Amino acid sequence: MTLQNLYEKDFQEWVTQTIQKLQQKEFNSLDIEHLIEKLQDLGKPEKRALESNLMILLAHLLKLRIQNDVPETIKDSWYRSIIEHRQRIDKQLRDTPSLKSYLKLAIDKTYADGRKLAIKAGKLASFGIRIPQKTEYSLSCPFTLEQVLDDDFYGIED
């Protein structure tokens, strides 16, 4: 059975045989198409983790900007979340420096989801807290890349 056929039948055996072929430098017998596909997939979890952290960070920056009049106890939880997600992003960028070139695109990709999250959370406001209108949330990211990464920036306009 060829490696190409094995890929469809028994993925784990395909991995084992592919490793053996690489170790033995039998490059001509490799299933190059599937090998390239799997190598491309390896970077996806790191990008997804970065996007997830950015989405939460952007949502909380937006909440602080739009709902800055909420009680301090609520704002404090948003501040803590911003700090935590910035630290996660910083660690990801230290561990995988090539992700820095993906940051701007990642912000563009995740802003809409962060906005949606902030809007939904804003609609849950209670106990006299103002519920913001959807139109108060900018359709495009109002923060620069530098602001998003700045440890001293919290989305609040001066």
Side-chain angles (χ1 to χ4, degrees):
M1 182 177 294
T2 67
L3 278 179
Q4 290 87 348
N5 293 336
L6 189 58
Y7 180 86
E8 303 296 333
K9 303 271 186 215
D10 186 343
F11 178 73
Q12 289 306 313
E13 183 60 25
W14 176 86
V15 169
T16 300
Q17 287 192 27
T18 298
I19 291 169
Q20 288 173 354
K21 301 278 185 201
L22 287 167
Q23 289 171 332
Q24 297 165 2
K25 299 181 176 80
E26 294 179 19
F27 305 125
N28 289 335
S29 58
L30 288 172
D31 176 6
I32 298 295
E33 182 180 323
H34 287 121
L35 185 57
I36 290 169
E37 179 184 315
K38 288 298 152 197
L39 288 172
Q40 288 172 330
D41 288 346
L42 288 176
K44 288 180 182 178
E46 288 191 37
K47 284 183 175 181
R48 279 194 285 270
L50 178 64
E51 291 168 0
S52 177
N53 285 314
L54 281 169
M55 180 184 70
I56 301 296
L57 173 59
L58 291 168
H60 286 113
L61 287 172
L62 278 172
K63 287 195 247 180
L64 280 171
R65 174 167 284 186
I66 305 298
Q67 292 184 282
N68 195 30
D69 54 346
V70 301
E72 289 302 314
T73 55
I74 294 173
K75 285 199 286 192
D76 285 347
S77 73
W78 297 342
Y79 283 120
R80 283 192 296 277
S81 175
I82 289 169
I83 292 166
E84 175 187 344
H85 289 279
R86 277 193 177 129
Q87 285 178 339
R88 289 180 183 197
I89 291 167
D90 183 57
K91 181 172 179 358
Q92 286 177 283
L93 296 177
R94 280 182 287 138
D95 291 348
T96 311
S98 62
L99 283 175
K100 288 178 185 173
S101 64
Y102 179 66
L103 263 174
K104 180 68 177 120
L105 178 60
I107 289 172
D108 292 342
K109 284 179 67 174
T110 59
Y111 177 74
D113 290 331
R115 178 181 180 268
K116 187 176 179 180
L117 184 63
I119 291 169
K120 284 186 175 191
K123 288 180 180 178
L124 299 174
S126 57
F127 303 111
I129 297 173
R130 180 182 72 83
I131 297 175
Q133 297 298 311
K134 187 176 182 177
T135 56
E136 293 179 66
Y137 299 89
S138 174
L139 290 174
S140 60
C141 185
F143 314 115
T144 65
L145 173 60
E146 292 75 21
Q147 288 172 325
V148 170
L149 299 178
D150 182 350
D151 285 339
D152 297 320
F153 178 78
Y154 291 98
I156 301 169
E157 294 178 324
D158 296 325

